[in-house]
Amino acid sequence: MKKENKRVAEYEFSIGYRLSHWVRFFAIMLLIISGYYISFVFQSPMVSDEPVLFLQAKWRFVHIVAGFVMIAAVIYKCYIFAFDRMSHIERVSIKDFLSPKVWFEQIKYYLYLTDEHPHLRGVYNPLQFIAYVMFYVVAFLLILTGLILYMHVYHHGFGGAIFDILRPVEVWMGGLANVRAIHHICMNVLIIFIAAHVYMAVFNAVKGRNGGMDAVISGYKFPEENH
């Protein structure tokens, strides 16, 4: 039998990265549930003679709060990616993304043509990197269309402040109906991304046996000593 190499603990993700990851996760879950309720009511309040059956308003409140939390988390993640010292291993992944050799080795690994995991300079392999770039592009579109929908309901305060700024974007997208459609399409793309992300995280953790999924909780992964 092949002798197992000694594994070492390697600190991969900072506490800021891990917190932003889980904040985004719970915000997205709330946004999906509340967003589907707003577009297609799937819950009815208890029958009452009192004028207090404001379930749509309550779900909308949840959606708006989760949306602004998501905006803050995305801005924070973009900031630490660009400037945080601990996020250097994320930025280095750009070099792996631009390397044809790493692409070839990674595809071989995913197709079970080899058990040897590619030697990466950064924390993300090329497929992960392009998937995360697409995630943030979709997240940006969700935020942009969400803010346009928000400003048409709340005309004062922040909604009023962004109205004149985002109104041309709304027109460019083809009107409010199109904005809403783009918002829904982007959320469906995000749901597909989440399913693929979870599958690939489990795949890499099981096949690589390096605690890859643990890293987003504890911060540590356990690669082979000579890796």
Side-chain angles (χ1 to χ4, degrees):
M1 295 179 64
K2 182 181 176 181
K3 184 178 179 181
E4 288 287 335
N5 292 320
K6 182 180 178 182
R7 294 183 179 274
V8 295
E10 182 179 285
Y11 192 61
E12 186 170 67
F13 295 129
S14 67
I15 182 66
Y17 175 95
R18 285 173 280 147
L19 282 175
S20 69
H21 175 276
W22 292 111
V23 167
R24 290 197 309 273
F25 169 78
F26 287 112
I28 289 171
M29 292 301 103
L30 285 174
L31 285 166
I32 291 172
I33 296 170
S34 58
Y36 271 117
Y37 177 86
I38 293 170
S39 61
F40 183 80
V41 176
F42 57 79
Q43 181 185 17
S44 299
M46 293 179 62
V47 177
S48 172
D49 294 330
E50 298 296 324
V52 293
L53 305 180
F54 305 131
L55 198 56
Q56 175 76 211
K58 292 175 182 177
W59 274 116
R60 186 179 293 274
F61 173 77
V62 171
H63 195 74
I64 291 171
V65 172
F68 279 110
V69 170
M70 179 68 178
I71 292 172
V74 168
I75 292 173
Y76 173 75
K77 181 62 181 69
C78 291
Y79 171 80
I80 63 174
F81 176 83
F83 301 108
D84 181 47
R85 180 176 58 84
M86 284 288 299
S87 296
H88 173 71
I89 56 174
E90 291 185 82
R91 295 190 291 271
V92 172
S93 298
I94 298 174
K95 295 181 179 179
D96 293 322
F97 174 75
L98 297 175
S99 170
K101 180 182 177 182
V102 177
W103 271 94
F104 180 71
E105 292 177 350
Q106 188 65 49
I107 292 172
K108 280 177 58 180
Y109 181 76
Y110 279 151
L111 293 177
Y112 286 94
L113 298 177
T114 179
D115 290 329
E116 182 68 23
H117 195 282
H119 293 269
L120 303 173
R121 284 168 286 188
V123 69
Y124 303 131
N125 68 58
L127 293 173
Q128 284 178 310
F129 187 81
I130 195 171
Y132 290 141
V133 169
M134 290 176 63
F135 168 85
Y136 282 100
V137 169
V138 172
F140 173 77
L141 282 172
L142 274 167
I143 290 170
L144 183 63
T145 52
L147 288 175
I148 293 172
L149 294 170
Y150 172 85
M151 74 185 190
H152 278 281
V153 178
Y154 300 92
H155 305 291
H156 301 287
F158 181 70
I162 64 175
F163 187 89
D164 290 335
I165 300 172
L166 296 183
R167 179 65 173 153
V169 180
E170 175 192 336
V171 174
W172 176 74
M173 288 183 174
L176 198 58
N178 280 356
V179 170
R180 183 176 180 271
I182 294 170
H183 194 71
H184 284 212
I185 291 169
C186 287
M187 180 53 73
N188 288 328
V189 171
L190 198 60
I191 291 171
I192 295 171
F193 169 85
I194 292 169
H197 173 65
V198 172
Y199 171 78
M200 295 309 300
V202 173
F203 174 92
N204 283 292
V206 172
K207 195 170 190 295
R209 293 181 293 177
N210 60 1
M213 289 191 68
D214 299 344
V216 80
I217 299 174
S218 66
Y220 288 91
K221 67 184 302 185
F222 302 90
E224 293 181 352
E225 192 172 26
N226 63 348
H227 186 69

